[in-house]
């Protein structure tokens, strides 16, 4: 039982490049989230999903897209990376149905130069 | 104004001390409250939920004050291993979203 797994763990991009971060959970959770964490700002919600095939915008969605084609996977895409997207990205999942306990992945450290 | 505000600290205390953190929230529709712990360069992990009547888990006590819109975390008999950042987390009623505070850093010294 791996819980929530994020890949990759580290990545360096040049401005304008694209990439996809993968989040996978094996707990059959309904809800999945992508957060970014920056110094002094805490975790900010980028996008979230309350079920397979559904996504919604969070607090800071600009510059990101997401997809939830399978219940266990939640992908975060950066189409044209910018230095402002340098951050630590955390994926999380929760069972849903009123249960909001979040299980986090280990994080992805992204640097955009 | 941030939806969830915390004193960033750091709180620097000796082993065995009692330390308390507060967290204020701005949305009166907030209905669920949590404390998460985050170690340096690691993911956040749930420390405890906060119930209306207050709750205790070993050395940790959490309390909620709805009238003043704040929650608190009290740590008794601090251990070196308690050194971490403590995140206050709030859920707004009828929302799937959890709002995180920016965290309070605790350093426990020998």
């Amino acid at each position: 039982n791996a819980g929530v797994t994020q890949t990759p763990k580290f990545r360096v991009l040049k401005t304008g490049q694209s990439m996809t971060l993968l989040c996978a959970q094996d707990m059959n959770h309904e809800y999945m989230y992508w957060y970014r964490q920056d110094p002094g700002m805490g975790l900010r919600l980028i996008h979230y999903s309350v079920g397979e095939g559904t996504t919604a915008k969070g607090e800071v969605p600009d510059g990101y897209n997401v997809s939830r084609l399978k219940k266990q996977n939640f992908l975060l895409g950066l189409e044209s990376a910018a230095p402002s997207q340098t951050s630590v990205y955390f994926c999380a999942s929760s069972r849903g149905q009123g249960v909001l306990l979040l299980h986090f992945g280990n994080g992805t450290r992204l640097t955009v130069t | 104004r941030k939806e969830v505000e915390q004193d960033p600290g750091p709180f620097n205390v000796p082993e065995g001390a009692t330390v308390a953190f507060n967290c204020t929230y701005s949305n009166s529709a907030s209905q669920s409250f949590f404390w998460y712990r985050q170690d340096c360069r690691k993911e956040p992990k749930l420390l405890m939920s906060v119930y209306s009547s207050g709750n205790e888990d070993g050395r940790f006590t959490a309390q909620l004050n709805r009238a003043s819109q704040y929650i608190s975390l009290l740590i008794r008999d601090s251990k070196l291993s308690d050194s971490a950042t403590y995140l206050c987390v709030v859920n707004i009623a009828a929302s799937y979203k959890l709002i995180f505070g920016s965290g309070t850093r605790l350093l426990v010294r020998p």
Side-chain angles (χ1 to χ4, degrees), chain A residues 4-106:
Chain A
V4 180
T5 303
Q6 287 182 236
T7 53
K9 288 184 169 34
F10 303 93
R11 186 73 187 268
V12 178
L13 286 179
K14 293 186 178 179
T15 298
Q17 287 184 319
S18 63
M19 77 165 294
T20 300
L21 282 67
L22 172 63
C23 177
Q25 52 94 4
D26 60 4
M27 296 174 284
N28 201 34
H29 282 174
E30 289 294 331
Y31 299 175
M32 296 187 76
Y33 308 80
W34 276 107
Y35 287 90
R36 60 177 287 174
Q37 187 173 34
D38 302 293
M41 302 194 71
L43 281 90
R44 292 181 292 168
L45 183 64
I46 304 171
H47 285 280
Y48 64 101
S49 168
V50 299
E52 181 179 314
T54 72
T55 63
K57 294 180 180 180
E59 185 185 351
V60 288
D62 294 342
Y64 305 95
N65 57 73
V66 289
S67 65
R68 182 113 181 258
L69 298 179
K70 293 183 178 180
K71 185 176 184 179
Q72 62 267 34
N73 296 337
F74 195 29
L75 278 63
L76 178 71
L78 286 72
E79 290 187 345
S80 179
S84 60
Q85 294 177 305
T86 293
S87 189
V88 180
Y89 291 86
F90 286 103
C91 175
S93 70
S94 68
R95 201 174 79 193
Q97 300 173 333
V99 177
L100 295 173
L101 166 61
L102 292 181
H103 298 261
F104 281 89
N106 291 339

Side-chain angles (χ1 to χ4, degrees), chain B residues 15 37 78-84 108-110:
Chain B
E15 267 187 296
R37 170 195 168 125
S78 299
K79 311 291 185 191
L80 294 176
S81 57
D82 293 335
S83 295
V108 182
R109 64 181 187 271

Side-chain angles (χ1 to χ4, degrees), chain B residues 36-92:
Chain B
Y36 277 71
R37 170 195 168 125
Q38 185 173 25
D39 294 302
C40 189
R41 303 177 78 84
K42 298 284 189 181
E43 74 275 20
K45 293 183 179 178
L46 179 69
L47 178 66
M48 58 196 303
S49 301
V50 185
Y51 302 121
S52 296
S53 55
N55 49 298
E56 192 174 300
D57 183 2
R59 297 182 293 108
F60 298 84
T61 300
Q63 294 200 312
L64 167 64
N65 185 317
R66 286 192 185 273
S68 301
Q69 296 188 191
Y70 75 85
I71 67 172
S72 64
L73 178 67
L74 179 78
I75 305 175
R76 290 182 300 278
D77 189 22
S78 299
K79 311 291 185 191
L80 294 176
S81 57
D82 293 335
S83 295
T85 297
Y86 291 84
L87 306 172
C88 171
V89 186
V90 171
N91 167 246
I92 313 300

